[in-house]
Amino acid sequence: MTPEKQAALTAIEEKKDMIIHVADSIWEYAELSLQEYKSCALYCEVLEKEGFQVKKGISGIDTAFSASFGSGKPVIGILAEYDALSGLSQKAGAVSREEIISGGNGHGCGHNLLGAGALAAALGVKAYLEQTEHSGTVILYGCPGEEGGAAKAFMARDGVWKKLDAALTWHPEDVNEVATGSSNSCIQVQYKFKGVASHAAGAPEMGRSALDAVELMNIGVQFLREHMSDKARIHYAITDAGGCSANVVQPRASVLYMVRSNHVAEAVELQKRVDKIAEGAALMTETSFERKFIDGCADTVCNHVLEKVLYDNFAELGVPEYTEEENNYADELAAEFNTQNYYPGIAAKNDENAREQVEALQKKYGHAMNAFLAPLYTGEAFEPGSTDVGDVSWLTPTAQIHVAAWPNGCPGHSWQNVSCGKTAIGHKAVLQAGKVLAAGAIDLFKNPDRLRAAKEEFKRRTKGGFTCPIPDGVSPVIPD
């Protein structure tokens, strides 16, 4: 490792108490998507004190920000998230379900760690630019609403990511690896039907049922499934059934739809068909409806060049190491899960040899924490979930890593993950992720050939052009 890179990583270590304080504070705030006001304010305050130029309200989103340092090219973006999930309030470090606030929120996806790790990376890159006086700019982006709001997609619509030469990020997981492959695109729309109330027995002919409209829409979508790609998915939830009185013709009802497909252009076209079904349901029931666009995100475009850069640095820096006490806590936390059904990581999912390596390493370490780096996968992997990192990846070369922040096999969006999020296990993930991302960014500053190769791969993979799932003139909203 070069002295310049080592100095940048030392700068992260020197600021670790502040970085961990941010992670723990965001854990305590546990603010839901698009409501992360305290979290956003804390990041902006810290970054301004650290000498970054902070801009708030990016793309008209109150809790979005950017913080830049340096000047000139290349421009490397680092992505932060900080929204929590409802119903996951949990005492830190506990091995059983212990809510702090009944029905309260919690960081079940580890976004308190994600944002703090991105902050650590930005601080490391800043130290490198200061020490070397190298031309270049690092921008930390505060991206709210990943769990419902897709701020990165709205930023993509507004062209925010086009200024970047590359974007890097990470996500807490139960495995250490470099992420790769594509994901599903996803569009969320809420349909709010309005009818006419009436006595269901005394004057049924006077009523127009909004609930009937919702049910007919759902039936119409069921028949649509035969005529859509097997790569597509449609899910829905009735968010308002109109009331609990069966003897009333329900005058209102709402349903929330999620339309997914491997490619965002396909999802946009499928969404149009779902809209037509809503129109048909309203016609059949003589009701009206309001179409409320919630959010949308594109599929992910991988970049093997950037992934190799991150993997090389991850391999050199290593993965977090745990004390006996930390391992015992993780083992007890994971005890209720069958860890044979572990999340094996992308390489092990897609390559038989890699799976054997991962299983051997798990057996060697013998604890619930995956304390090893999974092999790099260079094939074309696919994950069925969705992320607004995908929208970034359509506009600039993008790569991300996963760092183990909770025990092997613990479910996503679980209280177990919240429990780990304010412990030494979570803190170690934050610092290691920040160091790997910072080291990777420094390589891109120092080696223009790598950045050039990443851009060439990006152009090849995105030659079909970006179809933005976000209509003009709409802002992120929370479903009713």
Side-chain angles (χ1 to χ4, degrees):
M1 183 174 293
T2 64
E4 298 91 349
K5 186 184 288 187
Q6 185 60 60
L9 303 185
T10 298
I12 293 176
E13 194 66 26
E14 290 173 348
K15 293 183 180 293
K16 69 178 182 180
D17 289 342
M18 181 268 286
I19 294 166
I20 290 170
H21 169 73
V22 169
D24 288 351
S25 297
I26 305 300
W27 186 94
E28 292 168 3
Y29 299 155
E31 297 169 298
L32 298 180
S33 294
L34 306 178
Q35 302 172 52
E36 315 95 326
Y37 294 102
K38 292 180 182 179
S39 303
C40 178
L42 177 59
Y43 276 114
C44 291
E45 177 186 349
V46 168
L47 287 158
E48 285 175 343
K49 287 181 180 179
E50 291 295 328
F52 287 76
Q53 293 184 326
V54 176
K55 294 181 180 179
K56 303 175 184 177
I58 302 300
S59 289
I61 305 169
D62 290 343
T63 53
F65 68 86
S66 67
S68 63
F69 183 87
S71 61
K73 303 280 272 181
V75 182
I76 307 298
I78 299 173
L79 313 179
E81 300 169 11
Y82 33 87
D83 55 333
L85 291 156
S86 62
L88 286 177
S89 175
Q90 170 64 29
K91 180 180 177 181
V95 294
S96 60
R97 187 74 166 103
E98 296 183 48
E99 289 184 286
I100 299 173
I101 301 172
S102 179
N105 309 326
H107 275 281
C109 208
H111 290 179
N112 66 304
L113 306 175
L114 196 167
L119 169 65
L123 293 171
V125 176
K126 172 181 177 282
Y128 168 78
L129 293 173
E130 284 180 320
Q131 293 161 6
T132 63
E133 298 183 349
H134 196 289
S135 173
T137 305
V138 60
I139 306 178
L140 177 65
Y141 287 95
C143 306
E146 195 278 335
E147 301 293 355
K152 300 184 198 70
F154 286 85
M155 296 179 189
R157 180 196 62 184
D158 297 342
V160 169
W161 312 116
K162 290 181 179 179
K163 71 173 70 173
L164 301 181
D165 292 290
L168 304 176
T169 190
W170 78 290
H171 202 290
E173 284 289 356
D174 62 0
V175 65
N176 300 289
E177 67 179 352
V178 174
T180 190
S182 185
S183 62
N184 268 322
S185 60
C186 183
I187 299 172
Q188 281 199 93
V189 175
Q190 188 174 36
Y191 301 88
K192 303 171 70 176
F193 289 87
K194 183 178 180 181
V196 178
S198 181
H199 195 295
E205 73 280 4
M206 301 296 291
R208 299 294 183 268
S209 175
L211 182 57
D212 284 356
V214 164
E215 291 191 289
L216 284 168
M217 180 181 178
N218 293 343
I219 291 170
V221 171
Q222 309 314 340
F223 282 98
L224 174 63
R225 296 182 193 280
E226 181 184 359
H227 305 287
M228 66 188 200
S229 167
D230 58 3
K231 298 178 181 178
R233 300 287 185 271
I234 300 180
H235 334 292
Y236 67 91
I238 297 175
T239 54
D240 181 4
C244 58
S245 297
N247 61 345
V248 175
V249 175
Q250 307 298 351
R252 71 178 193 280
S254 299
V255 62
L256 178 65
Y257 266 86
M258 300 181 75
V259 174
R260 300 185 198 251
S261 188
N262 287 180
H263 301 291
V264 63
E266 296 171 2
V268 169
E269 292 304 310
L270 185 58
Q271 178 62 57
K272 292 177 182 177
R273 300 188 72 182
V274 174
D275 289 342
K276 290 179 180 178
I277 292 171
E279 293 172 5
L283 284 171
M284 285 188 284
T285 54
E286 292 187 325
T287 59
S288 61
F289 75 94
E290 173 192 351
R291 180 187 187 275
K292 186 177 182 181
F293 182 88
I294 304 300
D295 61 32
C297 57
D299 48 302
T300 305
V301 180
C302 67
N303 193 289
H304 291 331
V305 173
L306 290 184
E307 289 160 11
K308 183 64 164 61
V309 170
L310 292 179
Y311 185 84
D312 288 345
N313 282 284
F314 211 160
E316 183 173 16
L317 291 169
V319 302
E321 297 180 356
Y322 307 105
T323 65
E324 182 178 359
E325 181 181 5
E326 290 160 1
N327 272 321
N328 290 339
Y329 158 71
D331 291 346
E332 189 172 355
L333 190 64
E336 68 179 281
F337 301 105
N338 177 7
T339 54
Q340 297 302 313
N341 297 323
Y342 64 91
Y343 174 66
I346 290 167
K349 278 185 181 180
N350 293 277
D351 183 270
E352 181 97 21
N353 292 331
R355 185 178 184 88
E356 290 178 0
Q357 291 181 54
V358 168
E359 289 175 340
L361 287 166
Q362 284 190 314
K363 186 175 181 180
K364 173 184 176 182
Y365 285 96
H367 287 286
M369 291 303 302
N370 280 335
F372 56 85
L373 178 62
L376 179 66
Y377 185 68
T378 56
E380 300 302 314
F382 174 73
E383 292 293 321
S386 304
T387 171
D388 59 3
V389 173
D391 298 84
V392 184
S393 71
W394 274 96
L395 297 181
T396 191
T398 303
Q400 60 180 320
I401 62 171
H402 296 153
V403 182
W406 46 74
N408 173 29
C410 284
H413 293 191
S414 68
W415 67 261
Q416 288 87 352
N417 300 350
V418 183
S419 179
C420 284
K422 196 184 176 187
T423 67
I425 288 174
H427 298 158
K428 288 178 177 180
V430 164
L431 296 173
Q432 203 67 8
K435 291 175 182 179
V436 173
L437 294 181
I442 290 168
D443 281 346
L444 298 178
F445 283 116
K446 292 179 62 177
N447 300 292
D449 288 345
R450 288 189 179 183
L451 197 53
R452 191 177 302 112
K455 290 182 176 181
E456 289 172 356
E457 181 181 356
F458 167 76
K459 289 178 182 178
R460 184 177 72 254
R461 290 184 179 275
T462 60
K463 62 182 179 181
F466 175 48
T467 299
C468 183
I470 309 295
D472 292 333
V474 301
S475 301
V477 294
I478 302 167
D480 295 334

